[in-house]
Amino acid sequence: MSDFLKTKSQFYIPEGMIYLDGNSLGPLTKTAQDRIQYTLNNEWGEMLVTGWNKAGWMEQPNKVGDRIARLIGAASKTVTVGDTLSIKVFQALASAINYQKNRKVLLTDASNFPSDIYAAQGLINMLKADHELKIVNTDNLIENINENVAAIFFTEVDYRTGRRYDAKKIIKTAKQNGALVILDLAHSAGAIDTNLTELDVDFAVGCTYKYLNGGPGSPAFIYVNPNLINSLEPCLSGWLGHENPFDFSLQYNPASGIDRMRVGTPPVIALAALEASLDIWETVNIKDVRETSIQLTDQFIKGVEQKCPMLQLITPRIPENRGSQVSFSFKHGYAVMQACIERGVIGDFRAPDVMRFGFTPLFVDSQDVERASEILAEIMSKDLWNDPKFQKRNKVT
Ligand SMILES: *Cc1c(COP(=O)(O)O)cnc(C)c1O
């Protein structure tokens, strides 16, 4: 059984703060500083350029990829790390469309994260061919999968509502119609027990600074189904995806396996911070994380609904149908969230009226949930949010 009391002590959370935004940016791990310092002093400082060989920096994206693979039910050597999620989404879309020579449609739903949709729009504009991006309502995704669809891409857990899509059903329909599937795990990795091997999905991408606690801007990951990878053009063809980068050949020949999805030089210092968090992830079982997350989200939903009837729950009530966050809509949600933050309960806000609270068993426990719902109830019952200082919009909400 995973020891969440222990993991909680391994994160730095400021005194008195209840941090319910690990779905946006995970907290600092206590070992990150030493881990980064080690990389700076003992590796970069002492080894300089020889660190690429001596410290194993070149292999680091795949080693870290293997550690993430374990958390998303993927086999070893199917995941690599680098770039940002937006870039990895673009790369997966481009590879998919290139593979599907005669199919012209990229299909997604209107609840998908804007950056994923922008990546598809940019790609289609660039192709100047008769490709089309089709955006449908979430509930109409499946009925829109047909033999014209090159690839369908969606985010398994909706960033706004916390709704979990039926990935299994979507993938099954896609397979029947010969469409590829790109699954965005931004709100799944480290949050729920997604199993990529069982899903037999074609591509998966995700970020490491949310539930995986890698730190602001830590690199993204990409998974490609081992049955597909070697017949795929990586599309963002950089030298580190080449079969022999140090031949400096003018002809791009992709490496075999997941290596071909690599692009350029690994972010060694950022990866050190991520590794500090993965050390903690190594001590827990993702099934325990999921089970505890369901208990915490249930507790929060019940507590808030009982005390704050004016808040509208927009997250599915059935645990299987949600990820690890709970969202409420309220006309003055932005101001309410600012009042929460002032009182030490940190969540965030998504336009137009959504308050998001993320639940991360690694450092949030049932006492935190109880306290957070009490603080929220006090803000609502006394209209404490109704203060001009809580109306001012910050750049990041
Ligand atoms: C967080 C998130 C992103 C962010 O992409 P970056 O390139 O890391 O800024 C993209 N897509 C989804 C679904 C997200 O949740």
Side-chain angles (χ1 to χ4, degrees):
M1 184 68 195
S2 312
D3 184 352
F4 294 128
L5 214 58
K6 175 152 187 229
T7 59
K8 188 170 183 173
S9 73
Q10 293 171 312
F11 288 92
Y12 173 74
I13 311 265
E15 190 64 37
M17 182 188 284
I18 299 174
Y19 193 65
L20 304 182
D21 214 3
N23 50 308
S24 185
L25 177 69
L28 174 66
T29 53
K30 286 185 180 166
T31 52
Q33 238 162 345
D34 282 349
R35 183 70 185 72
I36 294 169
Q37 201 67 52
Y38 183 89
T39 300
L40 295 179
N41 294 353
N42 301 49
E43 297 183 351
W44 184 18
E46 291 298 324
M47 298 175 186
L48 288 115
V49 74
T50 65
W52 292 111
N53 291 319
K54 281 192 198 153
W57 290 340
M58 225 19 125
E59 292 75 43
Q60 206 182 4
N62 294 359
K63 277 201 212 141
V64 171
D66 275 350
R67 299 180 80 181
I68 293 170
R70 201 192 128 254
L71 300 171
I72 52 178
S76 156
K77 298 195 188 333
T78 60
V79 176
T80 193
V81 173
D83 317 303
T84 71
L85 176 52
S86 305
I87 292 173
K88 280 342 216 185
V89 169
F90 183 90
Q91 187 182 28
L93 288 167
S95 309
I97 224 168
N98 178 269
Y99 181 84
Q100 299 272 44
K101 300 287 179 218
N102 299 316
R103 292 175 177 234
K104 303 293 179 192
V105 177
L106 287 178
L107 177 66
T108 193
D109 67 306
S111 298
N112 202 352
F113 192 83
S115 202
D116 297 34
I117 292 177
Y118 302 158
Q121 285 169 346
L123 173 64
I124 282 177
N125 290 342
M126 204 176 70
L127 286 172
K128 300 201 190 323
D130 47 353
H131 287 94
E132 178 198 349
L133 170 63
K134 198 165 174 188
I135 305 174
V136 301
N137 286 332
T138 305
D139 291 321
N140 300 337
L141 264 178
I142 288 184
E143 67 194 56
N144 276 283
I145 302 174
N146 55 43
E147 66 286 352
N148 298 321
V149 174
I152 162 167
F153 63 107
F154 64 99
T155 302
E156 188 184 19
V157 176
D158 186 315
Y159 75 102
R160 219 190 258 120
T161 63
R163 171 182 175 174
R164 182 183 190 172
Y165 291 32
D166 190 343
K168 200 169 164 181
K169 198 163 163 191
I170 297 171
I171 291 165
K172 186 174 166 214
T173 312
K175 275 191 200 306
Q176 285 162 354
N177 287 274
L180 293 173
V181 177
I182 300 160
L183 189 59
D184 193 325
L185 302 180
H187 297 273
S188 304
I192 60 178
D193 51 350
T194 303
N195 190 304
L196 294 181
T197 306
E198 264 171 35
L199 286 174
D200 195 25
V201 69
D202 303 297
F203 298 84
V205 291
C207 49
T208 62
Y209 52 80
K210 291 173 180 162
Y211 291 94
L212 297 181
N213 316 307
S218 62
F221 64 84
I222 186 164
Y223 159 93
V224 182
N225 195 309
N227 297 326
L228 178 67
I229 185 72
N230 286 330
S231 35
L232 203 72
E233 286 289 334
C235 286
L236 277 177
S237 30
W239 72 309
L240 291 188
H242 193 280
E243 62 177 349
N244 288 309
F246 283 86
D247 280 359
F248 294 102
S249 147
L250 295 186
Q251 175 58 44
Y252 181 77
N253 289 323
S256 78
I258 195 65
D259 265 332
R260 69 177 54 189
M261 303 312 275
R262 291 178 63 165
V263 183
T265 304
V268 173
I269 299 168
L271 284 166
L274 175 56
E275 291 212 70
S277 169
L278 291 171
D279 288 343
I280 300 174
W281 276 107
E282 218 118 276
T283 67
V284 299
N285 186 319
I286 194 72
K287 294 234 184 285
D288 298 336
V289 172
R290 175 63 172 156
E291 198 177 297
T292 308
S293 144
I294 288 173
Q295 287 164 8
L296 296 175
T297 47
D298 260 338
Q299 186 193 346
F300 190 68
I301 291 171
K302 286 201 183 87
V304 175
E305 285 201 311
Q306 208 173 46
K307 297 175 209 144
C308 312
M310 62 298 268
L311 300 183
Q312 181 75 39
L313 178 73
I314 59 166
T315 301
R317 243 170 249 286
I318 300 171
E320 292 73 46
N321 296 347
R322 66 172 183 256
S324 201
Q325 76 180 58
V326 176
S327 303
F328 289 96
S329 71
F330 182 63
K331 184 159 180 259
H332 304 285
Y334 182 79
V336 174
M337 188 51 81
Q338 301 318 301
C340 284
I341 291 170
E342 195 187 72
R343 284 164 182 76
V345 176
I346 316 295
D348 62 19
F349 175 81
R350 288 295 175 261
D353 61 359
V354 176
M355 296 187 277
R356 300 194 303 179
F357 300 91
F359 295 88
T360 41
L362 260 50
F363 53 86
V364 173
D365 60 27
S366 133
Q367 272 168 302
D368 296 327
V369 172
E370 179 64 24
R371 184 86 192 106
S373 65
E374 278 166 10
I375 290 171
L376 179 56
E378 195 193 358
I379 290 168
M380 296 314 297
S381 66
K382 298 185 183 160
D383 285 342
L384 297 177
W385 55 268
N386 198 358
D387 182 319
K389 72 177 171 186
F390 296 138
Q391 315 296 326
K392 193 183 155 287
R393 289 278 172 120
N394 289 318
K395 196 164 180 179
V396 175
T397 62

